[in-house]
Amino acid sequence: KGVVGKNKKLIRNLNRKNVNRLIKEKVIIGGMLPKVKACLDALDSDVAKTHIIDGRMSHAVLLEMFTDEGIGTEIVK
C-alpha cells in the first residue's frame, strides 16, 4: 500500500525528515527500506516527488495520480 505507521495506518505524505525519523524509530523496516531509499535517491536527483503504491491493485498508477487523496504514500523533498 505504501508506508504504514506505528498505528498500522497508511501514511499519505512524507518528507525526507519524516522518512529519516521513521527509519530511526524502526517504523520503516524490511522490504520497505529499499523502496524508501530509492525514493530518497530520486529526490537527490532533482525529482520533485515520488510515490510508493501497491502495483498489484488495478489501475494503481491512475488512482494515485488522478484522485485527490491517492492510494499510496507520496514522498517529497
Side-chain angles (χ1 to χ4, degrees), residues 46-65:
D46 292 329
V47 171
K49 60 184 176 177
T50 61
H51 300 262
I52 299 176
I53 60 173
D54 184 350
R56 300 169 294 179
M57 178 183 284
S58 294
H59 312 294
V61 173
L62 294 174
L63 291 169
E64 179 66 11
M65 302 305 292

Side-chain angles (χ1 to χ4, degrees), residues 23 26-37:
I23 291 171
K26 305 259 190 256
V27 174
I28 298 175
I29 57 172
M32 190 55 66
L33 273 173
K35 296 172 183 78
V36 168
K37 288 182 179 181

Side-chain angles (χ1 to χ4, degrees), residues 13-43:
N13 299 342
L14 288 170
N15 60 33
R16 178 181 301 280
K17 182 179 176 181
N18 298 133
V19 167
N20 288 330
R21 179 180 51 81
L22 292 173
I23 291 171
K24 185 177 180 181
E25 292 174 358
K26 305 259 190 256
V27 174
I28 298 175
I29 57 172
M32 190 55 66
L33 273 173
K35 296 172 183 78
V36 168
K37 288 182 179 181
C39 289
L40 295 179
D41 288 345
L43 294 174

